[in-house]
Amino acid sequence: MKEIILLKDYLNRFGSKHDDYPYRSGMDKEKLKQYFDQFELKAIFLSFDEINFRKSDFVGYPVVYTSQEDLNYKYKSYIEDVVYGLELSGAKVIPAFKYLKANNNKIFMEIIRDQLNIPEIKNIRSYHFGTLEDAMSKVESFDYPLVVKGAEGAMSKNVKLATNKKELYKALKQIAATKNIKYEFKDYLRQKKHKGYRRESKFRNKFIIQNYVPHLSHDWKIYVFGDHFFIFKRPVVNKNSFKASGGGYDNYYYGKDAELPSGIFDFAQKIFREMDTPFVSLDVAYDYKTHEFFLLEFQLIYFGTAGILKKYSNEYFYKGKNKWVAIENHGDIEYEYAYAVNHYLKKQNIK
């Protein structure tokens, strides 16, 4: 039986699971082992600190891992170190390290978008900046309205709309602020002491500026696990907002009730295949006038899983003979995870 390593965090948690018990305990590891066993994969759970880069040979070894959204991402930074080390050691890290770096990092997410060979997702153009000053030096070249997003944050937090230069400046000051009175005073003294010294910016939280997609009253969240496609429709939070996420799972429309525009699964499938991963979460919008899809955001690790649950989604979708069909959903997140990993390993012919 082939072995596969699953890396859990310091609280003995693996992955994210909606309605888990105890709260925020992640997936059921025993269930995962049982499902992987059904696919003739022996799941070996290890902590990140148990990885010994001197003694172990990881070449070609499949490794899946959890992530974290801890305060200031301190522990996630440690996870990144270990996962990148494994990738450098020749392990088959699933998903690839670049997708971990893009998790809760909209800068790198947009860098990946620009590098993917999918013209259809380039209708959203993002400009990335490390300081407010960098962005304001280019303010005359922007066409309004614009969406401003801090690099970190989920559920539409740290996202603002700017319809003119004044609103853009205000939004950037809020998102990019890195106020530290002690540090700023030391920097002030440097300026006094050293002639010609330029003080550092007080606005160094990185961010992106994107073109605004108008007239959107909702978007869709699509989870892909192997060849299983789960979907739900998310209306904007209120009439004065442009944000669809954060409205609450009980207010969304799932599966056949999601009012699906023709071609949405083909659009999602093309992205999924290009990304080379077992699973992905996609935020997709649609313009009914131009019949154009927009990939708003994506995540490949540590994303919400509520839409898999039977209490929300009665079905998932699968492409049969050139046709998308609805399949009864049994709502088991651990099964879908193991299924997706096994499906990926077989497709990649990883032995």
Side-chain angles (χ1 to χ4, degrees):
M1 184 178 289
K2 182 176 179 57
E3 294 182 350
I4 181 171
I5 292 175
L6 289 82
L7 293 177
K8 57 186 180 178
D9 70 12
Y10 71 101
L11 292 173
N12 198 33
R13 301 176 299 193
F14 183 85
S16 58
K17 179 179 179 179
H18 195 78
D19 281 354
D20 50 359
Y21 184 83
Y23 176 63
R24 299 189 72 178
S25 58
M27 297 186 199
D28 185 320
K29 294 186 292 300
E30 288 305 313
K31 286 179 68 175
L32 277 172
K33 283 184 177 180
Q34 292 170 15
Y35 286 131
F36 275 115
D37 187 66
Q38 289 180 20
F39 296 121
E40 297 185 350
L41 290 168
K42 182 179 180 181
I44 300 174
F45 282 94
L46 297 175
S47 299
F48 287 93
D49 58 278
E50 292 182 291
I51 298 299
N52 188 328
F53 289 100
R54 292 192 177 188
K55 293 185 177 180
S56 301
D57 180 9
F58 297 106
V59 175
Y61 212 104
V63 180
V64 293
Y65 56 92
T66 192
S67 186
Q68 259 287 1
E69 295 179 353
D70 60 310
L71 182 63
N72 297 323
Y73 300 100
K74 298 296 185 181
Y75 187 71
K76 179 179 183 283
S77 177
Y78 167 65
I79 290 174
E80 290 180 354
D81 293 339
V82 176
V83 172
Y84 190 41
L86 283 165
E87 191 167 277
L88 291 176
S89 298
K92 181 58 180 178
V93 173
I94 304 170
F97 169 74
K98 63 181 179 180
Y99 295 124
L100 173 61
K101 185 170 179 61
N103 181 237
N104 285 300
N105 181 349
K106 293 181 175 62
I107 301 290
F108 205 73
M109 183 189 300
E110 293 303 317
I111 290 173
I112 289 176
R113 178 201 298 271
D114 290 344
Q115 293 181 347
L116 288 170
N117 185 29
I118 310 175
E120 293 90 337
I121 67 172
K122 305 300 174 67
N123 49 11
I124 288 184
R125 176 68 170 95
S126 298
Y127 302 89
H128 52 83
F129 299 98
T131 68
L132 170 118
E133 291 82 357
D134 280 345
M136 295 310 295
S137 70
K138 298 177 174 61
V139 70
E140 298 299 333
S141 65
F142 295 140
D143 295 321
Y144 297 88
L146 294 166
V147 176
V148 183
K149 297 180 179 180
E152 299 174 355
M155 303 292 287
S156 291
K157 296 176 182 177
N158 222 15
V159 179
K160 299 183 182 299
L161 180 66
T163 61
N164 53 52
K165 287 188 286 187
K166 183 178 179 180
E167 290 181 359
L168 176 63
Y169 181 67
K170 180 180 179 181
L172 292 180
K173 283 189 69 177
Q174 293 174 341
I175 287 176
T178 50
K179 191 172 183 62
N180 186 309
I181 296 175
K182 184 178 180 179
Y183 183 85
E184 291 168 11
F185 182 67
K186 287 184 177 180
D187 208 35
Y188 168 77
L189 294 179
R190 292 190 191 102
Q191 187 183 41
K192 287 292 185 181
K193 183 177 180 180
H194 303 285
K195 184 178 180 180
Y197 174 77
R198 297 178 63 186
R199 295 175 64 181
E200 294 189 19
S201 172
K202 300 177 184 178
F203 304 92
R204 301 186 315 281
N205 280 327
K206 58 189 178 180
F207 56 90
I208 58 173
I209 297 176
Q210 293 180 329
N211 57 301
Y212 172 63
V213 182
H215 313 304
L216 297 183
S217 59
H218 55 268
D219 69 13
W220 289 268
K221 172 74 79 174
I222 305 172
Y223 302 143
V224 186
F225 282 77
D227 50 9
H228 297 176
F229 287 65
F230 300 81
I231 191 166
F232 53 94
K233 176 185 174 183
R234 308 184 299 182
V236 295
V237 177
N238 60 64
K239 64 180 181 180
N240 297 317
S241 175
F242 65 100
K243 308 169 188 177
S245 63
Y249 290 108
D250 291 333
N251 299 315
Y252 300 152
Y253 302 90
Y254 297 84
K256 291 180 179 179
D257 297 326
E259 299 178 342
L260 307 176
S262 177
I264 192 169
F265 288 128
D266 291 325
F267 179 74
Q269 186 182 59
K270 186 170 186 178
I271 298 168
F272 173 69
R273 287 177 172 174
E274 180 70 18
M275 285 181 166
D276 184 30
T277 176
F279 28 70
V280 69
S281 170
L282 306 172
D283 296 353
V284 175
Y286 181 68
D287 188 323
Y288 289 92
K289 292 183 178 180
T290 63
H291 304 292
E292 185 177 14
F293 288 104
F294 296 86
L295 175 63
L296 303 179
E297 292 187 4
F298 59 87
Q299 295 289 352
L300 288 92
I301 183 170
Y302 210 72
F303 50 81
T305 54
I308 294 175
L309 296 178
K310 179 70 172 178
K311 74 173 185 177
Y312 293 124
S313 294
N314 290 319
E315 59 275 318
Y316 64 84
F317 293 83
Y318 169 86
K319 192 168 189 179
K321 295 181 178 179
N322 299 317
K323 181 181 179 181
W324 290 95
V325 293
I327 307 293
E328 182 182 359
N329 176 32
H330 296 287
D332 195 322
I333 292 169
E334 286 83 0
Y335 172 80
E336 293 298 336
Y337 189 91
Y339 174 85
V341 172
N342 179 63
H343 184 273
Y344 177 78
L345 293 176
K346 283 189 172 182
K347 191 175 180 181
Q348 298 291 318
N349 197 28
I350 298 172
K351 300 179 180 179

